[in-house]
Amino acid sequence: MKINAIGIISASYKTEDFGILTNKRPVASLPFAGRYRLIDFPISNMANSGITTVGIVTPHYYRSILDHVGIGKPWGLARNTGGLFMLPGTIYGTREVGSRFLLKDLMRNRIFLERASEDYVIFTDSSKIMNFDMRPLIKAHAESGLDITMLYVKTNNQKGGQYLTIDETSGEVTNLTDSDKATENRFLDCFVTSKEFLLNLIDWYRSRSTMDLTDIFKLNIRRYSIGSYEYKDYVGIISDVNDFMKVNRDMLKDDIRKELFGNAERPIITKVLDAPPTLYEPTADVSNSLISSGCIIEGTVENSIIFRNVRVMPGAVVKDAIVMQHVTVEKDAYIENMICDKYVNVSEGVRLKGGRGGPLIAGKGEQL
Amino acid sequence: MRKKECIAMLLAGGQGTRLGLLTQGNAKPAVSFGGKYRIIDFSLSNCVNSGIDTVGVLVQYRPMILNKYLGTGEAWDLDSADGGVHVLPPYATQTGGSWYEGTADAIYHNIDFIDNYDPGYVVILSGDHLYKMDYNLMLQEHKANNADLTISVMEVPWEEASRFGILTANDEGRVVKFSEKPKEPDSNLASMGIYIFSWPVLKQALIEDHEDQSSEKDFGKNIIPKLLKEEKRIFTYKFKGYWKDVGTIQSYFDAHMDLLVDDPEFDIFDNKFKIFSNSNMYPPHMIGPEGKAVDSLICNGATINGTVEHSVIGLGVTIDEDAYVKDSVLLPDVHVCRGAKVERAVINEGSVIAERSSVGSSDGDVVLV
């Protein structure tokens, strides 16, 4: 069913918390769970919710986004009416680190908003792993008559992000803070507003274009009517390398994997790369691992996420690791608590192990 | 429409009765193979790898799954505006309609389709063979021989020659005799059912054959003997490499086991001659904490909590705790429940093997469920 909303996905924010993994790629195109990229989740959620016009605000290094998303064909967004739009973002410097919904980006792409015939706009970032039916949220917002409705999740794990103070009786947001021990309502960097409100906002704040939309909400918390909507299902929030490791490892749990990927009505879709099945040689010893296609496994793999076309040679051990596309772990090598980016080669007999502070990371193409 | 040098016509209408259950609701070319492929992928990939960008797929028997699978042809890069893959079912005309009565009849009814591309040559293919072949090399020989028809052949062991359509050629490779399953073969060159025709020659032969009331309208039985009789220039093209007709349960099973040997002759991992398939949206497969998989091919979406040895496990297959699968082929979406045992068996798409039940045995014939 078509829905009266368009979507905007922010892929433009920059963060330093992923080390070399985000050196040449935005957080949005971080590879995830063996065959996906983070941005697959917001695009799939929008497409599965019947949204047929989706804009992606591009980051500085957007080659990998364009390569992955293309014209949106896998998501059914290569359309004559609506479809997928790339909205060139403006954040290049470090000043706006952490900014997600920059007003300037909307101003530059105002025509995208003006041309849409839909009345509502749903915004998301691209660092939340969730299978989210957005229709009830959009419906609730439309029925409420409020200016904005913000999505949040209750969590006691406060790290980064913004938090909502919510009036118990009205459900309206009375404060928006960076970190607040008084509330466990973490904003999920997702909100709904009307196109009309948004266009007004662009006009009102024309001279302060480097502000983030959420800053503007905060500044006007008493003036605007801002509702809240609680998300109750699984959500993996990825704000640094340790989160990335943890949320990937969450995918080894049957219930979470089924909730995210087992929903026939709302499949998480990604760009297809046609690879053969994975070959397990007689010497393979694999347990508790998520393994993508096209791999050749001759060694040991434990508690790990293995992407496409990875080779684990005889005697090699891969433990508690994330191993991305086209990595080779040579004979008798040993890696533990480690992330290998694409095309890494771990040479014969090399032993590597991450520390207590977090995983060891090998950058794209490194020869170890 | 731009003129095409060579287009392919792929015969995909056969029922494949010898595959039993596997083709009960599905045309043979659309039967799953290798866990994630369908049999037609191999011929289509050959076309693409040979640079043929226009393929007519002749369908008749239960084409639903095949139609859906082919889609726009995008998966094989055959969704071009100028050519691409076209599904060609039987159709009605002012004088009524009819089924495709034979392989030649199917092509006869699509003369207009072929003329539309005005090709110099037409490759006729079966959608049910497992092999990798560059049709371009065959076309070059066809042109060098100034041939009207080139038939791809393989040398088979003499003792097996009487099971095949056998071609006898002279020193130049020109065919002098064609005998279907000869009792006393005088050659061991078996036809692979892959033909390249110069289109004007084929077109005329099809039109004449259509008028012949006694004809069965079959390439092997009618068209080739007819062209031989007319002394048309028919040549053999010797193919060396892996080729398998997967038309029986045993050969279908054997072809899967061939994928599991060391350095398989038919290499699905070879990037230079890739096998394309219309992929799926399954997540990667999961080997559970107690799961075990060795000497096997496993596809996306599978969940392995039991033990898998020397088997091919299709997309979305579930193998529960304490279940044991050995020397078997599990097609997509099979569920082997807790404690069940599967050995030397082919399990059809979507089948459920009940808890603690047992299918097949280590010494019997291959079982199909």
Side-chain angles (χ1 to χ4, degrees), chain B residues 131-134 137 141 152-155 189 192 237-243 265:
Chain B
Y131 65 108
K132 288 183 177 183
M133 183 168 168
D134 185 345
L137 300 176
E141 267 200 37
S152 182
V153 294
M154 279 189 73
E155 283 186 28
L189 297 178
M192 295 161 65
Y237 172 76
K238 276 191 193 166
F239 174 76
K240 287 197 178 69
Y242 188 89
W243 179 87
E265 222 186 324

Side-chain angles (χ1 to χ4, degrees), chain B residues 213-231:
Chain B
Q213 296 299 318
S214 66
S215 170
E216 289 179 51
K217 302 181 168 58
D218 182 86
F219 275 99
K221 288 180 193 145
N222 309 103
I223 300 292
I224 295 168
K226 173 178 157 65
L227 293 179
L228 255 180
K229 215 168 98 194
E230 291 169 7
E231 294 186 359

Side-chain angles (χ1 to χ4, degrees), chain A residues 33 35-36 73 252 257 261 270 272 274-282 284 286-294 296, chain B residues 34 36-37 74 79 268-269 274 276-277 279-288 291 293-300:
Chain A
R35 75 173 293 193
Y36 304 92
K73 206 161 183 183
L252 299 177
R257 201 175 59 253
F261 303 113
T270 186
V272 169
D274 203 354
T278 280
L279 178 64
Y280 289 78
E281 296 283 8
V286 179
S287 69
N288 199 38
S289 296
L290 194 60
I291 314 241
S292 199
S293 51
I296 299 178
Chain B
K36 67 163 287 189
Y37 306 97
E74 184 191 356
D79 55 341
I268 52 175
F269 282 85
K274 231 183 124 175
F276 300 90
S277 68
S279 273
N280 45 80
M281 269 309 149
Y282 288 98
H285 64 268
M286 177 76 196
I287 309 283
V294 288
D295 204 5
S296 296
L297 282 166
I298 302 189
C299 292
N300 278 342

